[in-house]
Amino acid sequence: MHPLRSALAATLVGLLAFTLSPAVSPAQADHYEGAPGPVHAGNTFGWYQYGVFRQEFIGPKPAFWKKRGRGIVRTQNGMLTLMSTKRGSVSATLDLKGHPYGRWEIRMRARTMSTVKGGKPFKVVTELVPAGTRDQHCGGRDIGIENFTLGTNTVKSYVHTLPNSSYRGFLGRHLRNDRWHTYAVEVAPDHISWFVDAHVIHTERRDEALDPLPRQLKFELRAKKGTTMDPARMQMDWMRYWSMRAPNEKSIKAPQFEQSTFNGAC
C-alpha cells in the first residue's frame, strides 16, 4: 500500500476506535486493585433494574434539601455545593421520607478554598441519619458513607449503634483537592456493605451492628467546635437511591468492620 494511504487508513482506524470507546470520568481514573469498574456501584452491581430516585442538581436547589449551619448550600454548575465559613459547620439534609433499607450512592469531591492563620481543616462527611423528627442521639445511630479530613488520604466508614458502639473501616484514597470519588452503602436486613469507586470494601453481618431505622442522606462540612477553620467546599455531582429489590449481580463478600466505641452518643 502507498505510504500516504497507509497513514490515512491508520488515522481512520484510530478515529473510529476513539469514537466507539466509552468516556472515562475523573472518578474512573482512580484505582483500587485495578480499574474502579464501569461508572459506579449502581451500574456495576445491577441495582438499576427496578427504578431509582436520582438527583442531578441541575437548576435551582430543590426545597427538600435543608441547609443548617453557617455557610452556603446551593446548586452550582450541576452540583450540590456546600461552602463553609471560618467558623462552624454547614450541612444539607434530604428532608424526605426515610428508608430503613436500600442503596445510596454519591459522586463527590471537596477542597480547601483558602488557609487562615491558625486555621484547621474541615471534615468532609456523608451520612445516613435518622429521618424526619426522629431523635438524632448526637450521631449515635448514624451510618457513615464517607468521612475524611481535608489534607489527609484516609476515608472512614462506620455504623454507630446505641448506647456507644461503633463498627468502622478505613481505606487509603487519593483525596487531594477536587479529586472525584464515588461512595455507596447498601443497608439490608442481614448486612451493611460499603463501596468506594465501584468496589465493595466492607460487609458487616453481625446482628449487633444492624440497626433498622428510617434514615436519610446528609452532607456536611464539619468544623471543630470553637475553632477557626480553613474555608472549604464540598460538591456532589449526583446522588442515587435504590431499593433492595434487585439482587446484586456481583459478590459483596468483603472484610467486616472493626468494633470500637462512639463516645459522642446521647
Side-chain angles (χ1 to χ4, degrees):
M1 182 181 291
H2 191 279
L4 181 59
R5 289 183 179 178
S6 178
L8 179 59
T11 300
L12 290 174
V13 170
L15 287 173
L16 181 60
F18 176 81
T19 302
L20 296 178
S21 296
V24 178
S25 68
Q28 288 175 276
D30 288 318
H31 296 276
Y32 176 78
E33 296 181 354
V39 186
H40 56 90
N43 188 352
T44 302
F45 288 82
W47 299 343
Y48 270 107
Q49 298 178 43
Y50 299 100
V52 59
F53 170 77
R54 60 197 302 159
Q55 291 280 277
E56 305 295 341
F57 304 121
I58 297 172
K61 178 180 73 67
F64 47 69
W65 285 101
K66 300 295 186 181
K67 169 187 172 292
R68 184 175 182 180
R70 300 181 61 176
I72 297 171
V73 175
R74 63 177 181 176
T75 52
Q76 181 183 39
N77 300 324
M79 296 173 284
L80 183 66
T81 300
L82 279 62
M83 295 284 292
S84 78
T85 66
K86 294 188 293 184
R87 291 275 182 174
S89 304
V90 61
S91 66
T93 303
L94 187 54
D95 188 22
L96 295 174
K97 180 183 178 180
H99 303 278
Y101 304 117
R103 290 117 167 190
W104 291 259
E105 187 166 26
I106 65 166
R107 183 172 184 258
M108 187 275 293
R109 69 179 183 180
R111 68 174 294 121
T112 296
M113 300 300 294
S114 62
T115 57
V116 297
K117 185 177 181 180
K120 301 297 182 182
F122 273 90
K123 280 192 173 183
V124 180
V125 183
T126 304
E127 294 177 318
L128 296 178
V129 302
T133 59
R134 292 174 177 83
D135 192 337
Q136 299 297 301
H137 291 284
C138 304
R141 301 185 77 179
D142 292 351
I143 296 176
I145 300 176
E146 61 80 19
N147 181 317
F148 66 89
T149 300
L150 282 165
T152 69
N153 285 306
T154 301
V155 62
K156 177 173 69 172
S157 63
Y158 46 86
V159 182
H160 294 160
T161 60
L162 297 175
N164 63 347
S165 293
S166 179
Y167 301 83
R168 60 189 187 178
F170 301 88
L171 180 68
R173 291 277 77 187
H174 294 298
L175 300 171
R176 65 173 181 263
N177 282 347
D178 288 335
R179 187 100 172 174
W180 288 108
H181 292 285
T182 58
Y183 302 96
V185 67
E186 175 178 272
V187 183
D190 62 349
H191 71 271
I192 299 176
S193 293
W194 180 54
F195 306 77
V196 178
D197 295 333
H199 290 275
V200 60
I201 308 301
H202 292 283
T203 292
E204 179 57 66
R205 298 183 184 275
R206 285 171 288 187
D207 288 342
E208 55 270 29
L210 306 178
D211 179 23
L213 174 76
R215 292 179 173 90
Q216 199 48 275
L217 197 64
K218 177 182 178 181
F219 302 118
E220 183 178 14
L221 285 170
R222 185 174 295 171
K224 187 174 181 179
K225 189 175 181 179
T227 301
T228 299
M229 309 296 293
D230 292 331
R233 182 183 72 189
M234 179 183 188
Q235 291 184 306
M236 281 57 66
D237 186 31
W238 49 256
M239 68 79 55
R240 308 279 190 269
Y241 169 79
W242 300 266
S243 73
M244 288 298 301
R245 187 177 176 188
N248 282 303
E249 295 180 351
K250 295 179 65 176
S251 172
I252 57 167
K253 184 178 179 180
Q256 68 181 13
F257 288 116
E258 65 178 46
Q259 186 170 0
S260 185
T261 57
F262 177 68
N263 296 320
C266 61

